[in-house]
């Protein structure tokens, strides 16, 4: 009964959500598209010809925005555990980023170059236990940095989801160690009650 009630509340919230309606109107796969659109407007992330590596890409809302903004001369490599329906200009890789085979696939698509921009909207499965969920979110943010160290070019940019909480200062400190400039953003499309935010890091210092 409680499970059904929670689902009903989620459906009611979706029905009232202006960004859900806008996504349906504008042809985006998820309301998350508007988070990247705002971040791009504020921080000038996307431009024609970029190579973009996106983590946690499904169902593809961010991939759509990135592909539109970088154009035919650019490339989006979208990685997720879940399958994703094809998007023009996007190379989708299904699998676990921590597995060597997935890493090899990313390297094969990038070729001799590295990514100009790393995007990560990865989020943990929420348990409802705040400390556990915050720790899981921090692990994913650290994974994003690990991938940046392997695949992001010197001077590149990373946009990575984070969650405010006990572990977040350590996440910020680690990113600040590897980038020249770090900003914390909370787009309007992020739900007001959520601890979700985004680390926007410019000027990657490769090792």
């Amino acid at each position: 009964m409680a499970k059904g009630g929670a689902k009903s509340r989620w459906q009611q919230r979706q029905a009232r959500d202006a960004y859900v309606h806008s996504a349906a109107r504008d042809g985006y796969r998820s309301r998350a598209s508007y988070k990247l659109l705002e971040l791009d407007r504020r921080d000038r992330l996307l431009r024609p010809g970029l190579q973009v590596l996106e983590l946690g890409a499904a169902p593809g809302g961010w991939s759509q925005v990135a592909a539109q903004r970088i154009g035919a001369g650019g490339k989006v490599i979208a990685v997720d555990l879940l399958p994703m329906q094809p998007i023009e200009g996007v190379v989708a890789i299904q699998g676990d980023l921590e597995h060597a085979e997935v890493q090899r696939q990313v390297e094969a698509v990038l070729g001799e170059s590295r990514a100009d921009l790393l995007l990560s909207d990865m989020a943990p499965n929420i348990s409802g236990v705040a400390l556990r969920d915050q720790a899981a979110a921090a692990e994913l943010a650290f994974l994003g940095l690990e991938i940046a160290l392997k695949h992001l070019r010197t001077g590149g940019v990373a946009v990575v989801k984070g969650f405010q909480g006990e572990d977040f200062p350590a996440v910020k400190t680690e990113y600040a160690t590897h980038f020249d400039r770090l900003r914390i953003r909370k787009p309007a499309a992020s739900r007001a009650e959520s601890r979700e935010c985004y680390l926007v890091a410019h000027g990657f210092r490769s090792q």
Side-chain angles (χ1 to χ4, degrees), residues 83-203:
M84 193 170 82
Q85 291 298 313
I87 298 171
E88 187 175 354
V90 177
V91 178
I93 297 173
Q94 184 180 355
D96 189 333
L97 278 161
E98 297 185 277
H99 290 174
E101 176 55 32
V102 174
Q103 293 285 334
R104 283 193 289 269
Q105 291 181 55
V106 170
E107 290 167 1
V109 179
L110 283 171
E112 297 298 318
S113 60
R114 287 188 163 213
D116 301 295
L117 172 63
L118 176 83
L119 299 175
S120 175
D121 201 28
M122 293 189 294
N125 292 322
I126 300 300
S127 69
V129 180
L131 289 178
R132 182 187 301 169
D133 292 339
Q134 290 165 20
E139 286 183 16
L140 292 178
F142 285 129
L143 175 59
L145 182 56
E146 181 182 325
I147 300 300
L149 291 169
K150 292 179 180 178
H151 299 299
L152 191 63
R153 68 165 176 83
T154 299
V157 179
V159 178
V160 177
K161 179 180 282 189
F163 285 87
Q164 299 279 359
E166 185 175 310
D167 298 297
F168 191 61
V171 172
K172 289 195 296 182
T173 297
E174 197 63 25
Y175 272 82
T177 300
H178 295 281
F179 289 85
D180 291 335
R181 188 171 78 251
L182 177 66
R183 293 189 175 99
I184 308 302
R185 303 291 198 197
K186 185 175 177 68
S190 291
R191 300 189 193 278
E193 69 275 13
S194 172
R195 291 177 175 265
E196 171 189 276
C197 62
Y198 291 88
L199 299 102
V200 181
H202 288 260

Side-chain angles (χ1 to χ4, degrees), residues 12 37 40-41 43 53 77 89 92 159 162 185-187 195:
Q12 291 171 10
L37 286 166
D40 183 38
R41 185 169 63 252
D43 294 289
L53 176 56
I77 305 165
V159 178
R185 303 291 198 197
K186 185 175 177 68
R195 291 177 175 265

